[in-house]
Amino acid sequence: MTIGIGLLGLGTVGAGVAQILATPQGRHPLVAALALRRVAVRDLQRPRPIALDPSLLSADPEAVVDDPAVDIVVEVMGGLEPARSLILRAIAAGKPVVTANKAVIARYGEEIAAAAAERGVYVLIEAAVGGGIPIIEPLKQSLGANRIQRVSGIINGTTNYILSRMADEGAAYTDVLADAQRLGYAEADPAADVQGGDAADKIAILAALAYGGVVPRSAIPACGIDRLEARDVAYADQLGYGVKLLAVAEQVALAADGAAELDVSVNPTLVPRDHPLAGVHGVNNAILVEGDPVGRVMFYGPGAGAGPTASAVVADILNIAGIRQVSGVGSSGQPAPLDPLLAAGSWRPCRLVDPALTRHRNYVRLRTSDQAGVIGRIGTCFGDAGVSLQSIVQFKPQAGGDGAHAEIVVITHEVPESAFRAALAAIEALPVVDSVAACLRTL
Ligand code: NAP
Ligand code: HSE
């Protein structure tokens, strides 16, 4: 039985998918049963990295979805619209969907899942988080017995690639970002990568799967690496830490109504050099899942790029194709019975807690006058606010400094965010303090 694939998009990921479909030799035998029927692109004249029969291309994505020869719709065009409407259109036509589009799933996942459940079709999203790393299906299925305490990870390949090259080679931010775009790692608008929005989309999806409910994407605080200064990376290094863009979802309480109360955020974070996430470099991603009773499980691998992402997309297509094959769909025209785990849905409410009530370790860089008693006064402000310190260090002023100023770096123990903010407000009011120059999280 041949299964018709309609591809929406033939960019980095779409071309990677087409490449796998065109070369089935040595892969799972079901790959040979997948036939690329139509491909939607925006610009029919654009040169493509893969040779395709030009008659497959169309500038009308709705026609691709509606084509009766298309059994599975693969959405790899990106953006919110028309991607969302096309996914819903495919579902309404009873066609399963595979998508790599975390922006759409993070915002419209509930609407899409409800439509899919009602119509009895699968929407699979393995490629939406972690590129080639299997993390969606493991969270839905293999770790389903656990109470998940925390999901944390490096889930944006572009920023990890930038941070790694800046740290290893002293490369300039804009040069490395241009390389990440050329290599197909970055989003169409790389602001989503460097400002933390892409990682926030992904942690919204992981948290929803880990905690069993919809996590409001718009409420997730996200800070990226676009304002990170090289001197903070250098100071962190001297203190024994690497700086990573970490996305974290943690259950802080179980409310009386059964809702999971979550602390979810994206922040540049100091990671101790001996922590498993510190060794994740380049375009690689890693997701650390902590659960009861499994303990700590880490998923690691290439987090972006054509091949790794297409690997995840095609795996989802094969899952659907396999179910269709065993259930005889196509011959009977009936939808396949949904596997409740593959089609995971919400089972409890989730809420984000007030950020002021969360607890974290912090790194702070203060620009101060270089005079006796400054460190004492800063320490007193922290102490008065109940913020316990792990270390307070004065760094040599940067070359070209005026000699009258100092840079003081503080690392706190885990403290309530409200106490930390109160301490910073008191410190900023000290006449000897010029500014709170940087504030990062610390693991
Ligand atoms: P891309 O290289 O920009 O490709 C997008 C493709 O979609 C292009 O072929 C484009 O056509 C087509 N397209 C866009 N809007 C269209 C429209 N309105 N009608 C018809 N065709 C349209 O993007 P990508 O990097 O492959 O990413 C695709 C999706 O995968 C995004 O959701 C992204 O977040 C996700 N993703 C990407 C990666 C990665 O490493 N790149 C990894 C995981 C997930 P033209 O070629 O004619 O412009
Ligand atoms: N732009 C994304 C990243 C692609 O760099 O991680 C993978 O989702």
Side-chain angles (χ1 to χ4, degrees):
M1 178 169 61
T2 301
I3 296 171
I5 305 299
L7 203 50
L8 304 178
L10 191 64
T12 300
V13 182
V17 171
Q19 176 66 30
I20 294 176
L21 300 188
T23 54
Q25 306 80 5
R27 308 190 198 279
H28 190 284
L30 260 182
V31 177
L34 307 174
L36 195 55
R37 302 283 199 207
R38 307 263 322 251
V39 182
V41 293
R42 214 169 6 202
D43 178 357
L44 290 169
Q45 308 310 321
R46 175 172 292 180
R48 303 287 162 187
I50 176 162
L52 277 189
D53 174 354
S55 70
L56 293 181
L57 296 185
S58 164
D60 180 355
E62 291 187 353
V64 173
V65 172
D66 297 345
D67 190 324
V70 167
D71 300 306
I72 301 175
V73 172
V74 178
E75 187 277 301
V76 284
M77 63 177 16
L80 297 180
E81 286 293 355
R84 167 187 159 274
S85 299
L86 292 164
I87 290 171
L88 292 170
R89 188 179 183 98
I91 293 168
K95 298 186 182 188
V97 175
V98 173
T99 178
N101 192 332
K102 55 273 173 150
V104 159
I105 296 301
R107 289 164 186 77
Y108 302 111
E110 189 179 17
E111 178 189 24
I112 289 169
E118 193 182 324
R119 193 64 178 77
V121 296
Y122 290 103
V123 175
L124 298 190
I125 61 166
E126 186 59 70
V129 183
I133 305 172
I135 179 62
I136 300 289
E137 295 308 324
L139 269 181
K140 275 158 65 176
Q141 303 183 47
S142 327
L143 294 170
N146 287 273
R147 292 188 196 99
I148 305 293
Q149 292 138 349
R150 193 173 153 98
V151 179
S152 54
I154 296 165
I155 50 177
N156 182 268
T158 300
T159 46
N160 205 48
Y161 176 79
I162 293 172
L163 289 174
S164 301
R165 286 200 48 202
M166 286 175 72
D168 298 348
E169 304 162 28
Y173 174 88
T174 43
D175 293 348
V176 195
L177 174 57
D179 283 348
Q181 289 177 285
R182 189 177 45 74
L183 290 163
Y185 302 157
E187 295 302 302
D189 177 1
D193 296 294
V194 299
Q195 293 176 1
D198 177 76
D201 290 347
K202 291 167 176 170
I203 197 68
I205 294 170
L206 295 183
L209 293 172
Y211 297 107
V214 177
V215 174
R217 166 62 183 89
S218 58
I220 297 177
C223 176
I225 65 161
D226 52 331
R227 281 176 293 159
L228 182 65
E229 290 190 44
R231 69 177 69 193
D232 291 307
V233 178
Y235 292 158
D237 182 58
Q238 290 178 53
L239 295 169
Y241 298 86
V243 179
K244 299 288 183 191
L245 185 65
L246 282 201
V248 180
E250 183 169 14
Q251 180 166 337
V252 292
L254 191 60
D257 65 356
E261 299 203 325
L262 306 175
D263 178 10
V264 184
S265 65
V266 175
N267 289 286
T269 303
L270 273 69
V271 179
R273 254 189 231 116
D274 60 356
H275 190 280
L277 291 172
V280 178
H281 299 297
V283 73
N284 288 309
N285 283 189
I287 300 110
L288 186 62
V289 181
E290 294 164 59
D292 168 29
V294 73
R296 290 172 128 199
V297 186
M298 191 157 106
F299 299 82
Y300 168 85
T309 312
S311 156
V313 169
V314 177
D316 278 349
I317 299 174
L318 291 175
N319 253 328
I320 294 167
I323 291 166
R324 288 172 72 90
Q325 208 175 50
V326 293
S327 62
V329 176
S331 48
S332 68
Q334 293 304 307
L338 288 182
D339 169 338
L341 289 180
L342 262 185
S346 296
W347 48 272
R348 69 170 165 189
C350 288
R351 283 196 287 269
L352 297 199
V353 289
D354 178 349
L357 303 177
T358 59
R359 296 176 63 88
H360 309 282
R361 291 181 74 211
N362 306 280
Y363 161 104
V364 192
R365 174 166 55 89
L366 304 167
R367 193 172 147 76
T368 71
S369 303
D370 192 7
Q371 64 187 63
V374 173
I375 287 186
R377 267 170 262 172
I378 291 168
T380 301
C381 290
F382 279 118
D384 288 348
V387 173
S388 163
L389 303 186
Q390 177 188 295
S391 69
I392 182 161
V393 182
Q394 178 167 340
F395 281 93
K396 269 171 82 172
Q398 299 274 306
D402 56 14
H405 288 91
E407 295 219 292
I408 293 173
V409 167
V410 178
I411 295 190
T412 73
H413 286 300
E414 186 180 285
V415 294
E417 185 68 13
S418 52
F420 177 63
R421 293 285 150 202
L424 286 190
I427 288 167
E428 272 183 313
L430 291 175
V432 291
V433 170
D434 295 341
S435 63
V436 176
C439 233
L440 305 173
R441 291 273 167 88
T442 302
L443 267 192

